[in-house]
Amino acid sequence: MHLKYESFVREPLITGDKTYAQVTEDICKPIEQKPSKLWYVGFVLSLLFLGFGVFSVFWEVYWGLGTWGINRTVGWGWDITNFVWWVGIGHAGTLISAILLLFRQGWRTGVNRAAEAMTIFAVMCAGQFPIFHMGRVWNAFYVLPLPNTRGPLWPNFNSALLWDVFAISTYFTVSLLFWYSGLVPDFATIRDRAKTKLRKRLYGLASFGWTGTAKNWQRFEALSLVLAGLSTPLVLSVHTIVSFDFATSVIPGWHATIFPPYFVAGAVFSGFAMVQTLLILVRKIYKMEDYITLGHIEAMNKVIVLTGSIVGVAYLTELFMAWYSQVHFEQEAFKYRVFGPYWWAYWAMMTCNVVSPQFFWFKKLRRNIVFTFILSIVVNIGMWFERFVIIVTTLANDFLPSSWTYYSPTWPELGFYLGTFGLFFTCFFLFSKYFPVIAIAEIKFTLKVSGDKYKRDMQRLDAMTTEEFLEEANHAH
Amino acid sequence: MAIKKFAVACFDDEAPLFAAVDKVRNSGYKLHDVYTPFPVHGLDVAMGHKDTDLHIAGFCFGLTGTATALGFMSWIFTSDWPINYAGKPFFALPAFIPITFELTVLFAAVGMVLTYCYLNQIMPGVKKHVFHPRQTDDYFVLVVEVPEGEPEGEIMEFLAGTNPLETNVQVAEDGWWFGRWDKDEDYTKNFA
């Protein structure tokens, strides 16, 4: 008898009467089979997008930043919009893997592996934008504090943009370490059941020689816990620092103390939407419905409605503060934001981010897969518009009315954005083919507490008196 | 690092495993190790392992990161190359906090993972003996060392008393070595 008790009132997290062996079988199967036709189609499509992205970036580097639509008034356009958007998407992965670990949320085990992979790929995509926005990209290393031959000159450590360099690179490194340390035991599982020599050799290499001794597992748990403890403030700091890029400036519309919490909430909001988009596909294509259940989807939808509402409150607070401050320029900035030349972007943002997630107050809709899938895409469109609204509408109507202008992107900017989708999905397709998309060891760990087979026994235990229960527990061995 | 003879017992659940670990520890036989497919809570205590000090290492690495970041930025902006940025003070401590925090986290995480790999003796290219291919799948494998020069019969009989699914005797390297996982090593020929 398993002595960890979880009430049968709680929904089982693993359905379908699984045993440990069945869990291994289910999760390793896609890796050991030839991928489906759909996989090849998706992969080739992603590569095409990636190729177009590489060409667009080449065009920009070769001819210079003039090939982009940005100008002296609107110096930040799609590039920084996309950067903030991709970084935000990454945040859900860390929230699931780190913050939910600290809160001991059992449902994270079904989704954390794919969500963390999403984080890493999203941060990879995000990093491209500020780098290529530099124009002379071969000088990108100037942001690093290296001793150099340009005189003992250092970057400005007081600049929010330099903080970003440290924040994003730390975030990427720590996420990667966290993700890979969890993958090592799962690679060992694949290695030990490998039938072909090549698979045995490669997964042997990737598994670092893991065998799963009791002491190794003890250290594994200690490492996960501390990495989760480190990642939690880290993920909050990353989008806080991204928001400092705007908030520490003196531009009306940007210069607001509400930015850090508002950006973090928005990041989690868009990240969870992206997790939904990906996992609804993964569970369908790889038949993982027993591990990513409706309960998981509902739990994530609850996070979406919470963070979506926080974002909504933030939008309204901004408007209120603009009026309440009685600062003329602040008021004008928001007047142009809502009713100015980019009014359509503002209202697209409001509809997608504030109105649409409110549907998730209804349980029926939270558990409806098709609705969730569509809404997850709507939310991500909305969050892209949020960044566009903040960046472009603010800059387009700046201090001098004579330099006001309208910005629209050119094809290399569009191609660059599509290219990052290519990069993201190329990585995600490779991940879903060669990596266990669900954390095998962690699922097994929760199986006897949250598996439906074991939960049924809880009804019997719940009906027992304390004496009967102690009697059975003491005689179990 | 030595080639030894081991008696192996496999279980398919935690409960009989705990009972068997208790029995082996009270019997005076040398418990080599227990291999499980996932972290089994309480097993480390049952085996008599002390709590790991890994988190202390993490704390020390973190402090190193804090000191590095603060020291480096302060040195640059106050003595190496002070620059007047918009009339702000050279030693602008609040502006140093974000990078200090990031480096603290970075040093702690990287240092801890490296320490973890070192302590667990895991690294790309490392190979160890796998007592049962299902120990990373659904088996809980208990391994007892057979003392040198002694026959294994008595131990095997003892292990059979713990109700395992299967038992066997294996000759294996007890440490790690660099090797390829698609090639099998044969220890029996150099084992007297």
Side-chain angles (χ1 to χ4, degrees):
Chain A
M1 184 169 74
H2 208 266
L3 277 183
K4 204 175 285 159
Y5 175 83
E6 187 183 278
S7 165
F8 67 88
V9 179
R10 279 182 184 270
E11 209 174 332
L13 296 173
I14 303 143
T15 56
D17 284 359
K18 302 289 180 198
T19 59
Y20 292 137
Q22 190 62 41
V23 170
T24 315
E25 183 68 30
D26 286 348
I27 299 172
C28 293
K29 207 162 42 182
I31 299 167
E32 291 160 354
Q33 282 172 340
K34 266 214 170 337
S36 62
K37 270 214 185 82
L38 207 65
W39 187 90
Y40 281 111
V41 172
F43 186 61
V44 170
L45 212 65
S46 308
L47 281 179
L48 287 177
F49 272 91
L50 179 59
F52 183 53
V54 170
F55 177 70
S56 306
V57 168
F58 165 77
W59 196 264
E60 183 260 323
V61 173
Y62 190 83
W63 293 107
L65 267 182
T67 54
W68 283 2
I70 47 175
N71 48 51
R72 281 181 35 168
T73 307
V74 184
W76 286 358
W78 270 39
D79 42 12
I80 304 301
T81 303
N82 298 337
F83 160 69
V84 180
W85 187 74
W86 274 120
V87 175
I89 282 176
H91 279 47
T94 321
L95 189 105
I96 290 173
S97 58
I99 299 182
L100 296 186
L101 177 84
L102 296 183
F103 285 145
R104 300 279 178 224
Q105 290 293 306
W107 62 270
R108 63 177 278 285
T109 51
V111 295
N112 67 343
R113 174 66 47 74
E116 277 175 59
M118 181 199 76
T119 295
I120 290 160
F121 305 148
V123 175
M124 276 161 56
C125 293
Q128 311 300 320
F129 289 99
I131 290 175
F132 285 102
H133 183 235
M134 291 176 186
R136 294 177 194 171
V137 71
W138 48 93
N139 287 337
F141 69 94
Y142 278 24
V143 299
L144 302 175
L146 297 170
N148 56 58
T149 53
R150 295 163 273 134
L153 200 58
W154 303 96
N156 180 6
F157 295 106
N158 301 334
S159 159
L161 298 179
L162 194 77
W163 301 346
D164 247 352
V165 174
F166 282 87
I168 303 291
S169 49
T170 301
Y171 184 45
F172 178 72
T173 313
V174 175
S175 302
L176 191 68
L177 291 175
F178 200 3
W179 185 59
Y180 202 85
S181 66
L183 270 166
V184 162
D186 288 359
F187 281 146
T189 304
I190 302 169
R191 172 199 75 206
D192 287 343
R193 51 181 270 131
K195 297 282 191 299
T196 67
K197 282 211 148 180
L198 183 67
R199 190 180 300 148
K200 194 143 194 124
R201 185 176 179 189
L202 292 180
Y203 284 103
L205 211 57
S207 69
F208 286 19
W210 177 270
T211 48
T213 72
K215 190 74 193 173
N216 283 9
W217 279 120
Q218 186 200 44
R219 294 195 188 107
F220 175 89
E221 295 230 283
L223 180 76
S224 314
L225 194 63
V226 178
L227 283 186
L230 288 171
S231 302
T232 302
L234 177 66
V235 69
L236 300 179
S237 84
V238 169
H239 230 64
T240 299
I241 291 176
V242 169
S243 81
F244 282 168
D245 293 349
F246 306 98
T248 58
S249 72
V250 285
I251 313 278
W254 285 4
H255 189 68
T257 47
I258 199 178
F259 265 36
Y262 152 39
F263 267 50
V264 171
V268 172
F269 180 53
S270 68
F272 267 89
M274 191 60 128
V275 173
Q276 295 280 35
T277 314
L278 292 173
L279 284 184
I280 286 174
L281 293 175
V282 163
R283 80 194 277 274
K284 185 84 198 155
I285 294 171
Y286 295 109
K287 301 188 180 60
M288 297 291 184
E289 282 98 339
D290 284 333
Y291 303 98
I292 305 168
T293 63
L294 273 181
H296 288 87
I297 289 175
E298 188 187 1
M300 288 192 279
N301 281 340
K302 284 178 183 166
V303 179
I304 288 181
V305 71
L306 171 72
T307 48
S309 304
I310 295 177
V311 167
V313 169
Y315 294 160
L316 298 180
T317 309
E318 272 189 325
L319 292 181
F320 172 77
M321 288 312 294
W323 166 75
Y324 188 66
S325 67
Q326 290 297 308
V327 176
H328 180 65
F329 299 102
E330 190 81 12
Q331 290 177 339
E332 286 298 301
F334 278 89
K335 197 183 88 192
Y336 281 109
R337 188 176 280 186
V338 183
F339 302 111
Y342 293 98
W343 63 269
W344 46 271
Y346 187 81
W347 291 105
M349 164 189 103
M350 273 298 195
T351 321
C352 297
N353 289 351
V354 186
V355 181
S356 74
Q358 303 307 324
F359 285 109
F360 281 149
W361 289 107
F362 302 103
K363 186 166 183 164
K364 261 224 170 88
L365 293 175
R366 280 202 303 269
R367 296 179 78 88
N368 184 323
I369 295 194
V370 178
F371 184 79
T372 303
F373 186 74
I374 295 170
L375 210 98
S376 70
I377 292 170
V378 169
V379 165
N380 263 320
I381 294 173
M383 283 309 290
W384 187 88
F385 273 115
E386 180 198 296
R387 279 66 182 251
F388 181 80
V389 164
I390 292 173
I391 293 168
V392 174
T393 69
T394 310
L395 291 175
N397 301 97
D398 69 351
F399 301 103
L400 279 176
S402 61
S403 53
W404 287 4
T405 181
Y406 193 84
Y407 155 83
S408 13
T410 56
W411 72 264
E413 282 172 286
L414 182 72
F416 190 6
Y417 184 43
L418 293 181
T420 52
F421 272 99
L423 176 65
F424 182 81
F425 280 102
T426 303
C427 292
F428 202 82
F429 274 110
L430 288 175
F431 160 74
S432 71
K433 169 65 185 82
Y434 294 106
F435 288 47
V437 288
I438 289 172
I440 306 176
E442 288 184 42
I443 279 282
K444 285 177 188 161
F445 177 69
T446 44
L447 182 67
K448 291 206 171 170
V449 184
S450 303
D452 59 351
K453 185 176 169 184
Y454 301 92
K455 294 208 74 149
R456 279 197 291 276
D457 195 42
M458 284 302 159
Q459 307 207 22
R460 190 176 62 81
L461 295 183
D462 255 20
M464 280 183 189
T465 63
T466 317
E467 287 75 30
E468 284 169 343
F469 180 76
L470 279 176
E471 174 88 7
E472 185 177 317
N474 288 334
H475 291 87
H477 299 175
Chain B
M1 311 299 124
I3 292 167
K4 290 176 183 165
K5 198 191 267 183
F6 296 102
V8 180
C10 304
F11 304 87
D12 67 348
D13 195 35
E14 295 102 313
L17 175 74
F18 274 99
V21 167
D22 264 359
K23 239 176 157 175
V24 171
R25 289 195 67 202
N26 292 329
S27 69
Y29 290 122
K30 192 177 166 201
L31 179 62
H32 172 64
D33 222 323
V34 177
Y35 299 86
T36 58
F38 57 86
V40 176
H41 279 186
L43 185 62
D44 46 350
V45 181
M47 287 174 66
H49 285 318
K50 270 189 286 186
D51 214 356
T52 173
D53 287 337
L54 195 58
H55 45 270
I56 295 173
F59 183 72
C60 297
F61 284 117
L63 277 187
T64 317
T66 317
T68 307
L70 267 184
F72 197 56
M73 286 188 288
S74 310
W75 169 71
I76 286 171
F77 277 173
T78 57
S79 92
D80 185 53
W81 197 278
I83 294 179
N84 185 336
Y85 290 110
K88 287 171 194 156
F90 293 123
F91 182 70
L93 188 61
F96 295 166
I97 298 301
I99 290 180
T100 306
F101 171 76
E102 299 301 329
L103 282 203
T104 305
V105 171
L106 184 69
F107 275 50
V110 172
M112 242 182 105
V113 168
L114 291 179
T115 313
Y116 166 81
C117 288
Y118 171 74
L119 291 174
N120 280 356
Q121 299 179 318
I122 55 172
M123 177 169 131
V126 160
K127 200 173 169 187
K128 292 175 189 167
H129 181 69
V130 173
F131 284 95
H132 198 292
R134 281 171 74 174
Q135 76 187 28
T136 50
D137 178 6
D138 62 339
Y139 272 19
F140 301 80
V141 178
L142 179 128
V143 180
V144 181
E145 203 178 305
V146 180
E148 233 181 294
E150 270 180 44
E152 62 270 13
E154 196 189 323
I155 293 188
M156 296 308 286
E157 215 167 282
F158 166 77
L159 280 183
T162 59
N163 294 322
L165 287 178
E166 53 180 273
T167 54
N168 58 52
V169 179
Q170 291 178 33
V171 172
E173 166 69 53
D174 73 342
W176 62 273
W177 66 97
F178 286 112
R180 277 171 55 171
W181 282 86
D182 55 335
K183 294 211 168 112
D184 287 327
E185 282 84 357
D186 185 17
Y187 311 104
T188 37
K189 46 179 191 254
N190 10 355
F191 190 73

